[in-house]
Every structure is written in structure tokens, then in C-alpha cells.
Amino acid sequence: LDGIIGTVASMIRVPAEYDKAIETALGGAMQNVIVEHWDAATVAIDHLKRTGNGRVTFLPLDRLNVLPSISAPQVSGIVGNAADLVGYDDQIYDAVQQLLGRVWIAEDLPSARRALDRHGRGPRPTVVTLTGEIVRPGGSVTGGSDRRRRDESILARERELRALPSRLTAAEERAAKAADRSRELGGRIEQSQVQVTENQSMLE
């Protein structure tokens, strides 16, 4: 399929300390697929219909309606605007701004409440804490913990996948050096064996 850029999770670079907050802010949108244009999305949807391979939300960059971002206040306990805390290529700027441009990251719920209490008129942001609580613009607050749920970070897996090629290259270089050292030691062993044979002959 043409025009497919990638999933949101695979296209953004998130510092490890913000994994929980960004995953909470994105929710299911982490698996949304960014595409270059509307036609790419419609072709992909037709393909999914024909093959019965599930449903996907697409973000066509030429049709996104991006609202103005809400700047995070520079106050204690507020880390910043979520879109400013992640890395991404310029090509997907609109997709990131649509998903994260109106989200603040806070250290904890008390910090989130203080910042929202001081927020003036105008659009209200979504505020997410570093531990995954979320305060919606309408006032609802979601948090807690489910110990039965395995907490596997999709963003952490994506970060590991990006690091694997360089780790593999480094491992191959170490293996090549070890092979060279092994051959060198093998040669020395052979020389020692020859010397041992000569010494045995002399002793006889």
C-alpha cells in the first residue's frame, strides 16, 4: 500500500521517564496509522474490508483538523506540553499536534489541580501525570492500579526496536574481534605444541 507512514507509537520518540504519561494521553491512538493523504487511507480501508483483517484508524496528513495547542504554564509540578516532550519527524507534525498539542504533563495530581485552578478562560487542556492519572477538560479524573494487568510499555518496546540495529552491529564487531583473538590464540597453541614435541624429542 502506498502512502503509509507508520503507527503513532512507531513514529514518535519518547524519553523513558514519560512513557506512562504519553501512553495514557494517547490511549488507543498509539496504534493509529499515519498516512500521507486521504486516498491512501481509503485504499487501505478497502484492503482491510476485502481481507477481513480488522479495523484501523488512519490519520491522513492532508485532512487533519488541528486545533491550536495549549501552552503549558511554567510553574512547579508541570513538566510541559506533551507535544514538546516527544521527538518526531517534521512530516508528522500535524498528527502529533492533534494528539498531544493540548495535553500537559504534570508530576502528580496535586500539581495538575493547582495548574488547572490557575488556568484562565479559554480552552482547557487534558492533564496527565507521570504515573498515568488523567484529568479531562470536562473535569473527570481517572486513576488507580490493576495488579492483575501486565504493564508492558508499547513505547518502551518501540524504543528497544529502534536501538536493536546499533546493538546488533556492536555485538557483531565484538564477535569479529573475539574470532580474531581466537585465531591468534589458536596459532600460539599450535606453536606451543610444536615446541612440546621438539622438547620431548630432545629428552628422548
Side-chain angles (χ1 to χ4, degrees):
L1 299 175
D2 294 329
I4 305 296
I5 297 174
T7 63
V8 172
S10 68
M11 298 305 299
I12 61 174
R13 300 177 294 277
V14 182
E17 61 268 30
Y18 304 141
D19 274 356
K20 188 70 173 180
I22 297 299
E23 286 190 356
T24 301
L26 290 173
M30 279 196 299
Q31 298 301 325
N32 289 359
V33 176
I34 304 171
V35 295
E36 294 176 355
H37 43 72
W38 175 272
D39 291 341
T42 57
V43 170
I45 289 172
D46 289 340
H47 170 74
L48 291 172
K49 286 181 177 178
R50 287 195 307 272
T51 59
N53 282 328
R55 294 169 61 87
V56 176
T57 297
F58 294 92
L59 302 175
L61 293 174
D62 65 336
R63 296 297 294 263
L64 293 181
N65 179 26
V66 182
L67 297 173
S69 64
I70 303 177
S71 298
Q74 295 183 352
V75 297
S76 175
I78 298 297
V79 180
N81 181 287
D84 297 333
L85 298 174
V86 302
Y88 54 91
D89 295 336
D90 292 340
Q91 181 186 19
I92 65 167
Y93 175 85
D94 283 350
V96 174
Q97 290 299 316
Q98 186 193 72
L99 296 172
L100 297 175
R102 298 165 76 86
V103 177
W104 297 351
I105 304 298
E107 293 178 357
D108 48 39
L109 276 177
S111 299
R113 179 177 178 178
R114 286 194 300 270
L116 288 172
D117 287 345
R118 296 171 59 176
H119 186 62
R121 294 180 177 275
R124 297 185 68 79
T126 296
V127 185
V128 182
T129 70
L130 294 176
T131 53
E133 291 91 6
I134 184 168
V135 184
R136 302 286 185 186
S140 63
V141 184
T142 303
S145 176
D146 185 354
R147 294 181 180 177
R148 296 169 298 178
R149 180 179 178 271
R150 292 183 62 189
D151 193 10
E152 296 181 342
S153 170
I154 292 176
L155 295 177
R157 290 202 299 269
E158 291 291 344
R159 185 167 49 252
E160 184 177 4
L161 284 173
R162 284 192 289 269
L164 282 176
S166 61
R167 289 168 57 187
L168 179 60
T169 300
E172 289 172 342
E173 291 175 354
R174 291 195 300 272
K177 291 179 180 178
D180 291 341
R181 179 62 173 161
S182 177
R183 284 190 291 270
E184 177 189 345
L185 293 173
R188 291 169 60 181
I189 289 172
E190 289 179 3
Q191 292 175 358
S192 297
Q193 288 173 338
V194 170
Q195 186 65 51
V196 167
T197 301
E198 292 176 352
N199 290 342
Q200 287 175 337
S201 298
M202 291 175 63
L203 285 171
E204 291 173 356

